[in-house]
Amino acid sequence: MNRVLILRPEPAAGRTAAKAAALGLGVRVHPLFAPQPADWTSPPASHFDALLLTSAHGVRLAGPGLTAFRGLPTYAVGEATAQALREAGFADVVAGMGDGTAIAARIAADGHRRLLHLGGTTVAPMAAEAIDVTRVAVYSMIALPPDPALVADAAPGSVLLVHSPRAGERLAEQMEQDRRASLHIVAISPAALAACGEGWASGQASALPVDDEMLALAARLCE
């Protein structure tokens, strides 16, 4: 059976691995990055109409400053982020299954105009022309040292799951051209796929930026 290599940070990597294992796929986990909290100052909640988090890392790593915003209408990209917010005491969370642009459109449609986005030091582009967005970084992603086990586990036919453009860039740095021709890429977005570079056996971007879609593509490659 072909292997699926998961490159996203923990604890999300573990969730993806469990889903892959439930599909009967062989799994190896090799995070390329690790999240760490960033120093940040909590702006007044009264300055905003709504709160957005696009990653569960932001919920876990924001610290006690996050609690000041529990009274705001709250939005999340992905059910994992929404669940993390609920566990942090946010009672009414709207989960969007698309990307930041999709949830921004929902926020605007709900009549909110002043949005606080708590995220990482690097964020995916988000079109939000109808909203005044204040972005505050509450965590950063630190690149881990190159892991020889990643290259060793990338047996011919393996499928590598790439969850961000930064992960694609990091993978391209670590995987030599002569190893790529027998490996398949499944990426969360066209931008993440492009960041992986050329020379792979195949490359596909998920139609929706969610794990289930990525794993469905990976499963077909492993048949």
Side-chain angles (χ1 to χ4, degrees):
M1 176 185 294
N2 294 344
R3 293 173 177 172
V4 174
L5 277 62
I6 298 168
L7 311 178
R8 68 189 314 195
E10 293 287 10
R15 294 194 299 268
T16 302
K19 290 180 179 180
L23 293 173
L25 303 176
V27 182
R28 298 288 190 277
V29 176
H30 293 285
L32 300 178
F33 296 90
Q36 70 174 23
D39 292 330
W40 67 290
T41 300
S42 177
S46 60
H47 288 185
F48 306 100
D49 301 325
L51 174 69
L52 169 66
L53 282 99
T54 48
S55 170
H57 296 305
V59 184
R60 293 191 306 108
L61 300 175
L66 183 63
T67 61
F69 306 104
R70 284 178 179 163
L72 291 175
T74 303
Y75 296 80
V77 170
E79 183 55 37
T81 307
Q83 183 59 34
L85 282 162
R86 296 183 191 108
E87 292 171 357
F90 288 77
D92 186 14
V93 182
V94 175
M97 299 313 294
D99 57 9
T101 297
I103 198 69
R106 169 65 185 274
I107 293 167
D110 287 347
H112 305 301
R113 293 296 178 263
R114 300 176 300 161
L115 176 67
L116 176 61
H117 176 194
L118 301 181
T121 52
T122 59
V123 295
M126 182 175 73
E129 292 82 1
I131 307 173
D132 180 11
V133 181
T134 298
R135 291 185 173 88
V136 177
V138 299
Y139 72 94
S140 61
M141 283 292 181
I142 303 302
L144 296 174
D147 182 6
L150 167 59
V151 177
D153 274 348
S158 294
V159 182
L160 295 96
L161 301 188
V162 179
H163 280 79
S164 71
R166 284 188 70 197
E169 293 170 0
R170 189 71 174 159
L171 174 63
E173 292 170 359
Q174 296 189 36
M175 198 66 66
E176 298 291 343
Q177 287 282 347
D178 60 356
R179 297 295 302 272
R180 297 183 188 184
S182 63
L183 304 173
H184 303 274
I185 299 291
V186 171
I188 198 167
S189 68
L193 179 59
C196 297
E198 303 294 334
W200 306 96
S202 71
Q204 301 177 70
S206 174
L208 294 174
V210 295
D211 256 3
D212 290 347
E213 293 284 338
M214 295 176 71
L215 288 170
L217 292 175
R220 287 198 285 272
L221 287 168
C222 291
E223 289 176 353

